[in-house]
PDB file of all heavy atoms in Angstrom:
ATOM      1  N   ALA A 406     -29.347   8.771   7.919  1.00  0.00           N
ATOM      2  CA  ALA A 406     -28.598   8.363   6.721  1.00  0.00           C
ATOM      3  C   ALA A 406     -28.908   6.915   6.347  1.00  0.00           C
ATOM      4  O   ALA A 406     -29.369   6.122   7.169  1.00  0.00           O
ATOM      5  CB  ALA A 406     -27.104   8.543   6.953  1.00  0.00           C
ATOM      6  N   THR A 407     -28.630   6.589   5.099  1.00  0.00           N
ATOM      7  CA  THR A 407     -28.748   5.207   4.620  1.00  0.00           C
ATOM      8  C   THR A 407     -27.451   4.836   3.903  1.00  0.00           C
ATOM      9  O   THR A 407     -26.534   5.651   3.757  1.00  0.00           O
ATOM     10  CB  THR A 407     -29.924   5.050   3.640  1.00  0.00           C
ATOM     11  OG1 THR A 407     -29.578   5.662   2.376  1.00  0.00           O
ATOM     12  CG2 THR A 407     -31.194   5.688   4.177  1.00  0.00           C
ATOM     13  N   ASN A 408     -27.426   3.594   3.415  1.00  0.00           N
ATOM     14  CA  ASN A 408     -26.255   3.156   2.648  1.00  0.00           C
ATOM     15  C   ASN A 408     -26.003   4.047   1.436  1.00  0.00           C
ATOM     16  O   ASN A 408     -24.861   4.189   0.991  1.00  0.00           O
ATOM     17  CB  ASN A 408     -26.413   1.698   2.220  1.00  0.00           C
ATOM     18  CG  ASN A 408     -27.709   1.408   1.490  1.00  0.00           C
ATOM     19  OD1 ASN A 408     -28.468   2.312   1.132  1.00  0.00           O
ATOM     20  ND2 ASN A 408     -27.995   0.131   1.277  1.00  0.00           N
ATOM     21  N   ALA A 409     -27.043   4.670   0.900  1.00  0.00           N
ATOM     22  CA  ALA A 409     -26.891   5.553  -0.269  1.00  0.00           C
ATOM     23  C   ALA A 409     -26.109   6.813   0.052  1.00  0.00           C
ATOM     24  O   ALA A 409     -25.655   7.509  -0.862  1.00  0.00           O
ATOM     25  CB  ALA A 409     -28.267   5.924  -0.827  1.00  0.00           C
ATOM     26  N   ASP A 410     -25.940   7.122   1.338  1.00  0.00           N
ATOM     27  CA  ASP A 410     -25.205   8.322   1.728  1.00  0.00           C
ATOM     28  C   ASP A 410     -23.722   8.065   1.956  1.00  0.00           C
ATOM     29  O   ASP A 410     -22.977   9.004   2.246  1.00  0.00           O
ATOM     30  CB  ASP A 410     -25.823   8.915   3.005  1.00  0.00           C
ATOM     31  CG  ASP A 410     -27.235   9.394   2.771  1.00  0.00           C
ATOM     32  OD1 ASP A 410     -27.441  10.164   1.808  1.00  0.00           O
ATOM     33  OD2 ASP A 410     -28.142   8.979   3.508  1.00  0.00           O
ATOM     34  N   VAL A 411     -23.277   6.821   1.815  1.00  0.00           N
ATOM     35  CA  VAL A 411     -21.840   6.530   1.949  1.00  0.00           C
ATOM     36  C   VAL A 411     -21.130   7.007   0.689  1.00  0.00           C
ATOM     37  O   VAL A 411     -21.459   6.604  -0.421  1.00  0.00           O
ATOM     38  CB  VAL A 411     -21.598   5.028   2.181  1.00  0.00           C
ATOM     39  CG1 VAL A 411     -20.099   4.719   2.153  1.00  0.00           C
ATOM     40  CG2 VAL A 411     -22.212   4.597   3.504  1.00  0.00           C
ATOM     41  N   ARG A 412     -20.152   7.900   0.875  1.00  0.00           N
ATOM     42  CA  ARG A 412     -19.439   8.479  -0.267  1.00  0.00           C
ATOM     43  C   ARG A 412     -18.063   7.848  -0.473  1.00  0.00           C
ATOM     44  O   ARG A 412     -17.591   7.737  -1.607  1.00  0.00           O
ATOM     45  CB  ARG A 412     -19.282   9.993  -0.064  1.00  0.00           C
ATOM     46  CG  ARG A 412     -20.586  10.765  -0.163  1.00  0.00           C
ATOM     47  CD  ARG A 412     -21.110  10.743  -1.606  1.00  0.00           C
ATOM     48  NE  ARG A 412     -22.410  11.408  -1.703  1.00  0.00           N
ATOM     49  CZ  ARG A 412     -23.574  10.781  -1.676  1.00  0.00           C
ATOM     50  NH1 ARG A 412     -23.602   9.466  -1.542  1.00  0.00           N
ATOM     51  NH2 ARG A 412     -24.710  11.434  -1.780  1.00  0.00           N
ATOM     52  N   HIS A 413     -17.439   7.442   0.613  1.00  0.00           N
ATOM     53  CA  HIS A 413     -16.081   6.893   0.505  1.00  0.00           C
ATOM     54  C   HIS A 413     -15.933   5.714   1.462  1.00  0.00           C
ATOM     55  O   HIS A 413     -16.475   5.733   2.568  1.00  0.00           O
ATOM     56  CB  HIS A 413     -15.025   7.946   0.876  1.00  0.00           C
ATOM     57  CG  HIS A 413     -15.104   9.200   0.076  1.00  0.00           C
ATOM     58  ND1 HIS A 413     -14.560   9.317  -1.183  1.00  0.00           N
ATOM     59  CD2 HIS A 413     -15.680  10.402   0.356  1.00  0.00           C
ATOM     60  CE1 HIS A 413     -14.790  10.538  -1.647  1.00  0.00           C
ATOM     61  NE2 HIS A 413     -15.466  11.213  -0.733  1.00  0.00           N
ATOM     62  N   THR A 414     -15.178   4.712   1.023  1.00  0.00           N
ATOM     63  CA  THR A 414     -14.799   3.594   1.890  1.00  0.00           C
ATOM     64  C   THR A 414     -13.324   3.307   1.655  1.00  0.00           C
ATOM     65  O   THR A 414     -12.893   3.115   0.510  1.00  0.00           O
ATOM     66  CB  THR A 414     -15.634   2.337   1.589  1.00  0.00           C
ATOM     67  OG1 THR A 414     -17.025   2.653   1.733  1.00  0.00           O
ATOM     68  CG2 THR A 414     -15.276   1.208   2.545  1.00  0.00           C
ATOM     69  N   ILE A 415     -12.573   3.312   2.741  1.00  0.00           N
ATOM     70  CA  ILE A 415     -11.129   3.074   2.687  1.00  0.00           C
ATOM     71  C   ILE A 415     -10.829   1.831   3.502  1.00  0.00           C
ATOM     72  O   ILE A 415     -11.305   1.691   4.631  1.00  0.00           O
ATOM     73  CB  ILE A 415     -10.346   4.296   3.243  1.00  0.00           C
ATOM     74  CG1 ILE A 415     -10.427   5.474   2.262  1.00  0.00           C
ATOM     75  CG2 ILE A 415      -8.883   3.950   3.502  1.00  0.00           C
ATOM     76  CD1 ILE A 415     -11.598   6.385   2.460  1.00  0.00           C
ATOM     77  N   VAL A 416     -10.075   0.902   2.932  1.00  0.00           N
ATOM     78  CA  VAL A 416      -9.682  -0.330   3.619  1.00  0.00           C
ATOM     79  C   VAL A 416      -8.171  -0.462   3.527  1.00  0.00           C
ATOM     80  O   VAL A 416      -7.608  -0.428   2.429  1.00  0.00           O
ATOM     81  CB  VAL A 416     -10.359  -1.568   3.010  1.00  0.00           C
ATOM     82  CG1 VAL A 416      -9.976  -2.831   3.809  1.00  0.00           C
ATOM     83  CG2 VAL A 416     -11.880  -1.409   2.990  1.00  0.00           C
ATOM     84  N   ALA A 417      -7.513  -0.583   4.675  1.00  0.00           N
ATOM     85  CA  ALA A 417      -6.053  -0.657   4.735  1.00  0.00           C
ATOM     86  C   ALA A 417      -5.408   0.547   4.040  1.00  0.00           C
ATOM     87  O   ALA A 417      -4.360   0.428   3.409  1.00  0.00           O
ATOM     88  CB  ALA A 417      -5.544  -1.964   4.135  1.00  0.00           C
ATOM     89  N   GLY A 418      -6.056   1.700   4.148  1.00  0.00           N
ATOM     90  CA  GLY A 418      -5.550   2.917   3.528  1.00  0.00           C
ATOM     91  C   GLY A 418      -5.839   3.034   2.049  1.00  0.00           C
ATOM     92  O   GLY A 418      -5.477   4.045   1.427  1.00  0.00           O
ATOM     93  N   ARG A 419      -6.487   2.046   1.491  1.00  0.00           N
ATOM     94  CA  ARG A 419      -6.757   1.982   0.047  1.00  0.00           C
ATOM     95  C   ARG A 419      -8.178   2.477  -0.229  1.00  0.00           C
ATOM     96  O   ARG A 419      -9.134   2.011   0.397  1.00  0.00           O
ATOM     97  CB  ARG A 419      -6.591   0.538  -0.419  1.00  0.00           C
ATOM     98  CG  ARG A 419      -6.754   0.285  -1.898  1.00  0.00           C
ATOM     99  CD  ARG A 419      -6.649  -1.221  -2.116  1.00  0.00           C
ATOM    100  NE  ARG A 419      -6.707  -1.600  -3.516  1.00  0.00           N
ATOM    101  CZ  ARG A 419      -6.897  -2.846  -3.952  1.00  0.00           C
ATOM    102  NH1 ARG A 419      -7.030  -3.832  -3.066  1.00  0.00           N
ATOM    103  NH2 ARG A 419      -6.936  -3.114  -5.230  1.00  0.00           N
ATOM    104  N   HIS A 420      -8.319   3.377  -1.191  1.00  0.00           N
ATOM    105  CA  HIS A 420      -9.604   4.007  -1.487  1.00  0.00           C
ATOM    106  C   HIS A 420     -10.434   3.049  -2.343  1.00  0.00           C
ATOM    107  O   HIS A 420     -10.345   3.033  -3.568  1.00  0.00           O
ATOM    108  CB  HIS A 420      -9.358   5.321  -2.227  1.00  0.00           C
ATOM    109  CG  HIS A 420     -10.367   6.363  -1.944  1.00  0.00           C
ATOM    110  ND1 HIS A 420     -10.085   7.714  -1.975  1.00  0.00           N
ATOM    111  CD2 HIS A 420     -11.672   6.288  -1.595  1.00  0.00           C
ATOM    112  CE1 HIS A 420     -11.168   8.418  -1.694  1.00  0.00           C
ATOM    113  NE2 HIS A 420     -12.137   7.569  -1.456  1.00  0.00           N
ATOM    114  N   ILE A 421     -11.307   2.255  -1.703  1.00  0.00           N
ATOM    115  CA  ILE A 421     -12.086   1.232  -2.404  1.00  0.00           C
ATOM    116  C   ILE A 421     -13.338   1.826  -3.039  1.00  0.00           C
ATOM    117  O   ILE A 421     -13.697   1.500  -4.167  1.00  0.00           O
ATOM    118  CB  ILE A 421     -12.465   0.090  -1.435  1.00  0.00           C
ATOM    119  CG1 ILE A 421     -11.201  -0.560  -0.856  1.00  0.00           C
ATOM    120  CG2 ILE A 421     -13.343  -0.941  -2.129  1.00  0.00           C
ATOM    121  CD1 ILE A 421     -10.289  -1.176  -1.879  1.00  0.00           C
ATOM    122  N   VAL A 422     -14.029   2.681  -2.296  1.00  0.00           N
ATOM    123  CA  VAL A 422     -15.186   3.401  -2.835  1.00  0.00           C
ATOM    124  C   VAL A 422     -14.849   4.885  -2.817  1.00  0.00           C
ATOM    125  O   VAL A 422     -14.502   5.436  -1.773  1.00  0.00           O
ATOM    126  CB  VAL A 422     -16.461   3.130  -2.011  1.00  0.00           C
ATOM    127  CG1 VAL A 422     -17.613   4.014  -2.484  1.00  0.00           C
ATOM    128  CG2 VAL A 422     -16.846   1.656  -2.089  1.00  0.00           C
ATOM    129  N   ARG A 423     -14.931   5.505  -3.981  1.00  0.00           N
ATOM    130  CA  ARG A 423     -14.597   6.926  -4.121  1.00  0.00           C
ATOM    131  C   ARG A 423     -15.798   7.649  -4.722  1.00  0.00           C
ATOM    132  O   ARG A 423     -16.273   7.283  -5.809  1.00  0.00           O
ATOM    133  CB  ARG A 423     -13.372   7.098  -5.033  1.00  0.00           C
ATOM    134  CG  ARG A 423     -12.855   8.525  -5.148  1.00  0.00           C
ATOM    135  CD  ARG A 423     -11.770   8.621  -6.212  1.00  0.00           C
ATOM    136  NE  ARG A 423     -10.578   7.881  -5.847  1.00  0.00           N
ATOM    137  CZ  ARG A 423      -9.499   8.417  -5.260  1.00  0.00           C
ATOM    138  NH1 ARG A 423      -9.481   9.700  -4.970  1.00  0.00           N
ATOM    139  NH2 ARG A 423      -8.448   7.677  -4.992  1.00  0.00           N
ATOM    140  N   ASP A 424     -16.305   8.636  -3.986  1.00  0.00           N
ATOM    141  CA  ASP A 424     -17.463   9.408  -4.442  1.00  0.00           C
ATOM    142  C   ASP A 424     -18.624   8.503  -4.849  1.00  0.00           C
ATOM    143  O   ASP A 424     -19.316   8.743  -5.841  1.00  0.00           O
ATOM    144  CB  ASP A 424     -17.080  10.317  -5.606  1.00  0.00           C
ATOM    145  CG  ASP A 424     -16.075  11.375  -5.191  1.00  0.00           C
ATOM    146  OD1 ASP A 424     -16.252  11.954  -4.094  1.00  0.00           O
ATOM    147  OD2 ASP A 424     -15.107  11.613  -5.939  1.00  0.00           O
ATOM    148  N   GLY A 425     -18.826   7.439  -4.073  1.00  0.00           N
ATOM    149  CA  GLY A 425     -19.951   6.548  -4.302  1.00  0.00           C
ATOM    150  C   GLY A 425     -19.754   5.517  -5.391  1.00  0.00           C
ATOM    151  O   GLY A 425     -20.702   4.787  -5.723  1.00  0.00           O
ATOM    152  N   HIS A 426     -18.550   5.405  -5.937  1.00  0.00           N
ATOM    153  CA  HIS A 426     -18.276   4.449  -7.014  1.00  0.00           C
ATOM    154  C   HIS A 426     -17.222   3.441  -6.564  1.00  0.00           C
ATOM    155  O   HIS A 426     -16.150   3.832  -6.078  1.00  0.00           O
ATOM    156  CB  HIS A 426     -17.802   5.185  -8.273  1.00  0.00           C
ATOM    157  CG  HIS A 426     -18.811   6.135  -8.827  1.00  0.00           C
ATOM    158  ND1 HIS A 426     -19.917   5.727  -9.540  1.00  0.00           N
ATOM    159  CD2 HIS A 426     -18.905   7.492  -8.741  1.00  0.00           C
ATOM    160  CE1 HIS A 426     -20.640   6.779  -9.886  1.00  0.00           C
ATOM    161  NE2 HIS A 426     -20.037   7.865  -9.419  1.00  0.00           N
ATOM    162  N   HIS A 427     -17.525   2.170  -6.743  1.00  0.00           N
ATOM    163  CA  HIS A 427     -16.585   1.121  -6.368  1.00  0.00           C
ATOM    164  C   HIS A 427     -15.450   1.077  -7.394  1.00  0.00           C
ATOM    165  O   HIS A 427     -15.692   0.999  -8.595  1.00  0.00           O
ATOM    166  CB  HIS A 427     -17.300  -0.233  -6.301  1.00  0.00           C
ATOM    167  CG  HIS A 427     -16.590  -1.239  -5.461  1.00  0.00           C
ATOM    168  ND1 HIS A 427     -15.379  -1.791  -5.827  1.00  0.00           N
ATOM    169  CD2 HIS A 427     -16.901  -1.796  -4.272  1.00  0.00           C
ATOM    170  CE1 HIS A 427     -14.995  -2.657  -4.888  1.00  0.00           C
ATOM    171  NE2 HIS A 427     -15.903  -2.681  -3.927  1.00  0.00           N
ATOM    172  N   GLN A 428     -14.216   1.131  -6.893  1.00  0.00           N
ATOM    173  CA  GLN A 428     -13.065   1.217  -7.790  1.00  0.00           C
ATOM    174  C   GLN A 428     -12.636  -0.132  -8.347  1.00  0.00           C
ATOM    175  O   GLN A 428     -11.954  -0.190  -9.380  1.00  0.00           O
ATOM    176  CB  GLN A 428     -11.883   1.852  -7.040  1.00  0.00           C
ATOM    177  CG  GLN A 428     -12.194   3.232  -6.467  1.00  0.00           C
ATOM    178  CD  GLN A 428     -12.599   4.222  -7.554  1.00  0.00           C
ATOM    179  OE1 GLN A 428     -11.782   4.625  -8.378  1.00  0.00           O
ATOM    180  NE2 GLN A 428     -13.878   4.610  -7.559  1.00  0.00           N
ATOM    181  N   LEU A 429     -13.007  -1.236  -7.696  1.00  0.00           N
ATOM    182  CA  LEU A 429     -12.604  -2.572  -8.136  1.00  0.00           C
ATOM    183  C   LEU A 429     -13.722  -3.310  -8.870  1.00  0.00           C
ATOM    184  O   LEU A 429     -13.452  -4.165  -9.711  1.00  0.00           O
ATOM    185  CB  LEU A 429     -12.147  -3.414  -6.936  1.00  0.00           C
ATOM    186  CG  LEU A 429     -11.037  -2.815  -6.073  1.00  0.00           C
ATOM    187  CD1 LEU A 429     -10.718  -3.747  -4.905  1.00  0.00           C
ATOM    188  CD2 LEU A 429      -9.786  -2.558  -6.902  1.00  0.00           C
ATOM    189  N   VAL A 430     -14.959  -3.010  -8.516  1.00  0.00           N
ATOM    190  CA  VAL A 430     -16.123  -3.623  -9.167  1.00  0.00           C
ATOM    191  C   VAL A 430     -17.001  -2.463  -9.644  1.00  0.00           C
ATOM    192  O   VAL A 430     -18.026  -2.135  -9.042  1.00  0.00           O
ATOM    193  CB  VAL A 430     -16.889  -4.541  -8.191  1.00  0.00           C
ATOM    194  CG1 VAL A 430     -17.975  -5.336  -8.931  1.00  0.00           C
ATOM    195  CG2 VAL A 430     -15.940  -5.500  -7.475  1.00  0.00           C
ATOM    196  N   PRO A 431     -16.590  -1.799 -10.727  1.00  0.00           N
ATOM    197  CA  PRO A 431     -17.236  -0.537 -11.112  1.00  0.00           C
ATOM    198  C   PRO A 431     -18.697  -0.681 -11.525  1.00  0.00           C
ATOM    199  O   PRO A 431     -19.450   0.291 -11.470  1.00  0.00           O
ATOM    200  CB  PRO A 431     -16.378  -0.031 -12.273  1.00  0.00           C
ATOM    201  CG  PRO A 431     -15.661  -1.233 -12.778  1.00  0.00           C
ATOM    202  CD  PRO A 431     -15.455  -2.126 -11.609  1.00  0.00           C
ATOM    203  N   HIS A 432     -19.105  -1.865 -11.955  1.00  0.00           N
ATOM    204  CA  HIS A 432     -20.494  -2.071 -12.386  1.00  0.00           C
ATOM    205  C   HIS A 432     -21.167  -3.049 -11.421  1.00  0.00           C
ATOM    206  O   HIS A 432     -21.664  -4.105 -11.817  1.00  0.00           O
ATOM    207  CB  HIS A 432     -20.523  -2.578 -13.825  1.00  0.00           C
ATOM    208  CG  HIS A 432     -19.788  -1.702 -14.788  1.00  0.00           C
ATOM    209  ND1 HIS A 432     -20.206  -0.433 -15.111  1.00  0.00           N
ATOM    210  CD2 HIS A 432     -18.629  -1.911 -15.471  1.00  0.00           C
ATOM    211  CE1 HIS A 432     -19.347   0.109 -15.969  1.00  0.00           C
ATOM    212  NE2 HIS A 432     -18.381  -0.757 -16.195  1.00  0.00           N
ATOM    213  N   THR A 433     -21.201  -2.666 -10.150  1.00  0.00           N
ATOM    214  CA  THR A 433     -21.663  -3.575  -9.118  1.00  0.00           C
ATOM    215  C   THR A 433     -23.100  -4.024  -9.349  1.00  0.00           C
ATOM    216  O   THR A 433     -23.421  -5.210  -9.189  1.00  0.00           O
ATOM    217  CB  THR A 433     -21.540  -2.908  -7.731  1.00  0.00           C
ATOM    218  OG1 THR A 433     -20.184  -2.499  -7.524  1.00  0.00           O
ATOM    219  CG2 THR A 433     -21.935  -3.877  -6.636  1.00  0.00           C
ATOM    220  N   ALA A 434     -23.984  -3.121  -9.722  1.00  0.00           N
ATOM    221  CA  ALA A 434     -25.384  -3.492  -9.932  1.00  0.00           C
ATOM    222  C   ALA A 434     -25.517  -4.535 -11.041  1.00  0.00           C
ATOM    223  O   ALA A 434     -26.268  -5.516 -10.904  1.00  0.00           O
ATOM    224  CB  ALA A 434     -26.219  -2.259 -10.251  1.00  0.00           C
TER     225      ALA A 434
END
Side-chain angles (χ1 to χ4, degrees):
T407 73
N408 53 9
D410 295 308
V411 173
R412 291 291 176 264
H413 304 279
T414 303
I415 288 89
V416 183
R419 183 184 184 194
H420 212 150
I421 300 299
V422 173
R423 185 188 294 264
D424 295 317
H426 298 284
H427 202 291
Q428 303 301 291
L429 305 179
V430 188
H432 305 293
T433 304

